[in-house]
Amino acid sequence: MGQKSIDDLGKLQRAVLEIVWELGQASVHQVRDRLSRKKTLAYTTVLTAMQKLEKAGWLRHRTEGKSYIYLPTRT
């Protein structure tokens, strides 16, 4: 099974990925804050989108204190 194209991602996943690309790395809170400028989203909604992107190979994370910092794996 090949890797998914960015065109195969949902609207929220694509928006999350674009924010992480823009920032270079980001926590769920940072992404949620950026997304909340347009629409209020629950923390868990953004977390789930980021976890799915990680599972699909678009993101990876590292631990910083009690937080996960997500980094892009593809450009």
Side-chain angles (χ1 to χ4, degrees):
M1 185 172 177
Q3 292 182 337
K4 285 188 173 183
S5 160
I6 192 162
D7 296 326
D8 296 329
L9 298 176
K11 192 174 182 179
L12 177 60
Q13 288 179 328
R14 191 174 184 155
V16 166
L17 194 55
E18 288 174 358
I19 291 169
V20 177
W21 279 335
E22 181 183 326
L23 297 175
Q25 62 181 22
S27 67
V28 177
H29 285 292
Q30 289 173 306
V31 173
R32 182 175 175 256
D33 288 346
R34 290 276 181 115
L35 291 171
S36 291
R37 294 176 186 171
K38 296 178 183 175
K39 181 180 179 182
T40 303
L41 294 168
Y43 176 89
T44 54
T45 301
V46 178
L47 174 62
T48 300
M50 294 178 84
Q51 288 172 333
K52 287 181 179 180
L53 286 167
E54 183 173 27
K55 187 174 181 180
W58 287 97
L59 297 176
R60 64 182 172 88
H61 76 270
R62 64 179 168 78
T63 305
E64 192 171 284
K66 292 183 178 182
S67 300
Y68 280 177
I69 305 298
Y70 288 86
L71 302 103
T73 58
R74 301 189 232 172
T75 57

